[in-house]
Amino acid sequence: MNRIVLWLFLMVSVCSCKPYAGIIRYALSEENVLYSKAVIANGFLYSSGQLGINPKTKLLQPDLESQTRQIMDNLRILLEQHHSDMEHLVKINIYLKDISQLRQVNEIYTSYLSERKPARTSVQINALPQDALIEIDCIALVQ
């Protein structure tokens, strides 16, 4: 009987929880844009798509390799600013103008990661902002 009462108590407690009861924080962009760089909700960081833009010069890097490296550097910095790191990546989305260049991206991408690889989606799309060749966003666990 006590087990049934305990089970019912637990079920009522779990079912009565609000699905969005966690704290939500917004990492605002320095630029005058209509989105946040990242949103932290319920222990996860959701980044906006990152282009290969150097944050100091505000210029898009000239080629796929340098854009990819700049994106991964920018993501690493964003994660560290919000109490996470590349080890806690859960999901990555890669958007490429030319999917045949995925092998080149993979070589750079994997150099930033440990043996623990996040889930990933890679897709080819028609166009990216500023005529970029690649865009990447991520979801990471915040510590």
Side-chain angles (χ1 to χ4, degrees):
M1 181 69 169
N2 286 341
R3 285 184 174 172
I4 293 174
V5 171
L6 178 61
W7 182 81
L8 285 172
F9 174 77
L10 290 172
M11 290 306 293
V12 169
S13 297
V14 168
C15 293
S16 66
C17 292
K18 295 178 184 176
Y20 302 105
I23 295 173
I24 299 177
R25 294 188 337 242
Y26 299 89
L28 299 177
S29 300
E30 296 87 29
E31 305 85 26
N32 187 19
V33 294
L34 303 174
Y35 59 88
S36 299
K37 282 186 177 182
V39 174
I40 296 91
N42 295 322
F44 289 92
L45 178 141
Y46 300 84
S47 83
S48 291
Q50 301 290 308
L51 299 177
I53 296 174
N54 182 316
K56 292 179 183 172
T57 65
K58 308 290 187 210
L59 297 174
L60 183 67
Q61 297 294 328
D63 56 57
L64 180 65
E65 180 179 345
S66 56
Q67 285 183 30
T68 304
R69 288 188 191 288
Q70 187 67 62
I71 289 169
M72 296 304 287
D73 288 339
N74 293 349
L75 282 174
R76 183 180 42 76
I77 291 166
L78 181 67
L79 292 170
E80 289 171 359
Q81 288 173 339
H82 298 285
H83 310 288
S84 190
D85 55 35
M86 300 299 243
E87 291 288 316
H88 290 88
L89 285 168
V90 176
K91 177 78 164 96
I92 292 267
N93 294 310
I94 299 176
Y95 309 95
L96 281 165
K97 283 183 76 173
D98 183 357
I99 200 72
S100 71
Q101 296 177 315
L102 185 58
R103 182 181 302 243
Q104 183 180 357
V105 170
N106 281 338
E107 290 175 17
I108 299 163
Y109 165 84
T110 55
S111 72
Y112 283 80
L113 303 174
S114 68
E115 291 180 14
R116 295 172 33 193
K117 307 288 190 277
R120 187 179 90 176
T121 300
S122 302
V123 295
Q124 178 171 312
I125 61 171
N126 190 33
L128 288 166
Q130 299 186 32
D131 205 27
L133 302 172
I134 184 170
E135 181 173 0
I136 300 176
D137 64 41
C138 72
I139 300 170
L141 184 62
V142 176
Q143 302 160 342

